[in-house]
Amino acid sequence: MNIGVDAAALGMSNAVVANTNDVNSGYWNPAGLIGLEDGQVALMHASYFANIAQYDYIAYAKPIDDRSAWGISLIRFGVDDILNTTQLIDNEGNIDYNRISLFSTADYGVTFSYARKLQVPGFQYGVNAKVIRRVIGDFANSWGFGFDFGLQFERNSWKYGLMLRDITTTYNIWAIDEDEYNKIKDAIPGENQELPESTEITLPKAQLGMSKLFEFHNETSLLASANLNMQFAKTNDIIATDVVSIDPAIGFEYGYTNLVFLRAGVGNFQNVTQIDNSKKIGFQPNIGIGFKYKGIQIDYALTDLGDQSAALYSNIFSVKVDLSIFR
């Protein structure tokens, strides 16, 4: 749930909390769903770790009336067809390749979103209810639940956004199949002798953003936006204290006639420890391009350009369709 969705947003290093205003707002800031004029559908696919892991996303959202909107989305991140070799050797010590089976491990996140305009001009808010499902073959599975809250405000062509993720703390409760666990706990002598923790906790996080759209006379525009991504713990973020750690992100989108878009951004600023224990600042540059025609938008992003951070780069594609084109 931390990776992000929509190649357009990822090309801007996720700095979209203040300006998001389409179907993908259910992830970035549900308050942005108010910007919908009709129903929209979004799809995204990305491969990670040399195509070993697959990351997929689908979302739908539409206005309820001129003051409210709703949406639903599904994210899946999984590794499929993993070789299960725990039974490779039979009781007589012989290797039997017929005893190899396949299994998948996958995380699922379903988000239900609702947004509404406030009576105060320029303000709108949104809430998410999330259901988290995690499956590791027949070995273990879990269910989790959480909530997000988002707020947007616009004044004098400047936009501001606040996104509070997992505001009540998200809990995942694991169910471990002890029979399956007993088959693997002695794979390495002395290791994995006790069952893992059955409760997984996701602590609250906050994102504060601002953006402005500059429109020029030659039918071009420039969207500039920035985020402060905050975790309430000490991490390797470039600004880190015992109370809060902050990772800034900046993104730009150059548009021509609302048809072609070029994007760039930089974020994920981290203090990285080197082999000699010295410190350096790592960061993640992203670029992207998009095309929009008659309500259909296709976007591409390349993340971690130049391998400046510990994260691996990935090619990401997404599609967004305004359903009004079918009417």
Side-chain angles (χ1 to χ4, degrees), residues 223-300:
L223 173 65
S225 60
N227 269 18
L228 294 178
N229 304 310
M230 294 171 278
Q231 300 184 62
F232 300 101
K234 192 168 186 177
T235 69
N236 288 328
D237 289 343
I238 190 172
I239 302 171
T241 69
D242 291 334
V243 177
V244 62
S245 297
I246 302 175
D247 163 33
I250 302 173
F252 299 93
E253 178 185 79
Y254 173 82
Y256 176 68
T257 67
N258 200 33
L259 179 66
V260 180
F261 304 91
L262 299 176
R263 306 181 181 97
V266 61
N268 195 22
F269 289 91
Q270 302 286 305
N271 291 309
V272 181
T273 302
Q274 305 299 297
I275 296 177
D276 60 0
N277 287 325
S278 64
K279 298 279 189 178
K280 81 165 188 177
I281 296 177
F283 57 93
Q284 183 172 334
N286 300 341
I287 59 172
I289 188 170
F291 302 93
K292 182 178 180 181
Y293 183 69
K294 292 186 176 179
I296 300 176
Q297 183 168 328
I298 300 174
D299 296 296
Y300 164 78

Side-chain angles (χ1 to χ4, degrees), residues 67 116-125 152-154:
R67 299 191 61 83
R116 187 167 183 83
K117 285 185 179 180
L118 292 172
Q119 296 295 330
V120 180
F123 277 95
Q124 55 204 38
Y125 75 91
Q152 286 184 333
F153 171 64
E154 181 174 2

Side-chain angles (χ1 to χ4, degrees), residues 156-177:
N156 297 329
S157 74
W158 284 89
K159 293 184 178 181
Y160 307 89
L162 174 66
M163 179 63 169
L164 303 176
R165 298 185 180 275
D166 305 296
I167 54 175
T168 59
T169 302
T170 296
Y171 291 87
N172 263 65
I173 307 300
W174 284 89
I176 300 171
D177 189 315

